């Protein structure tokens, strides 16, 4: 039996660069729907999407709603991680984030992207 491939996506953009942000979430959801194991990292301005309701505030014409894309990642068993430093810079604490979002740092990111068979993308 073949092992599932893994895609780790680091999103650095939020409402400040909506097309880049939407592309990252879209690629994550399409990969998840295709059976790829997905780990989605929220960094920079995308850190705000770790908070309840914030993804629903994001709008981009002709793009799928962010909450739907996030749900597609979750439904496939994908993991969503908020960067430790990004959270701290924004005053976001563990108690604030949406259920199922973990907070972790660079060491965990590097441990996820280094194994053979893992592809990492940064948006």
């Amino acid at each position: 039996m073949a092992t599932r491939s893994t895609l780790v996506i680091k999103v650095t953009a939020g409402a400040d660069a909506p097309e880049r942000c939407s592309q990252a979430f879209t690629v994550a959801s399409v990969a998840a729907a295709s059976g790829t194991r997905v780990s989605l990292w929220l960094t920079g301005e995308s850190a705000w999407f770790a908070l309840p309701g914030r993804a629903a505030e994001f709008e981009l014409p002709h793009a799928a709603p962010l909450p739907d894309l996030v749900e597609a990642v979750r439904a496939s068993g994908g993991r969503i991680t908020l960067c430790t430093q990004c959270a701290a810079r924004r005053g976001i604490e563990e108690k604030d984030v949406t259920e199922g979002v973990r907070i972790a740092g660079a060491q965990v990111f590097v441990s996820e992207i280094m194994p053979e068979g893992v592809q990492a993308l940064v948006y």
Side-chain angles (χ1 to χ4, degrees):
M1 177 180 208
T3 59
R4 281 177 45 186
S5 55
T6 299
L7 180 61
V8 179
I9 297 178
K10 181 183 271 196
V11 190
T12 63
D16 59 323
E19 289 183 315
R20 189 164 28 113
C21 175
S22 180
Q23 288 172 2
F25 282 89
T26 299
V27 168
S29 69
V30 169
S34 73
T36 300
R37 188 176 291 120
V38 174
S39 177
L40 183 63
W41 282 72
L42 306 176
T43 69
E45 286 303 297
S46 74
W48 295 114
F49 299 131
L51 298 175
R54 290 300 284 267
E57 296 173 8
F58 180 86
E59 291 184 8
L60 181 64
H62 310 291
L66 229 48
D68 294 351
L69 300 175
V70 170
E71 184 51 38
V73 171
R74 287 177 190 247
S76 74
R79 173 175 281 165
I80 299 176
T81 305
L82 170 60
C83 162
T84 302
Q85 290 182 13
C86 301
R89 280 190 281 275
R90 289 160 180 80
I92 300 172
E93 299 178 16
E94 193 114 13
K95 66 178 177 54
D96 303 321
V97 300
T98 302
E99 186 177 338
V101 173
R102 69 175 176 166
I103 297 178
Q107 180 180 359
V108 175
F109 179 78
V110 170
S111 73
E112 283 191 12
I113 65 170
M114 293 309 296
E116 194 170 324
V118 175
Q119 175 70 47
L121 300 175
V122 178
Y123 284 88

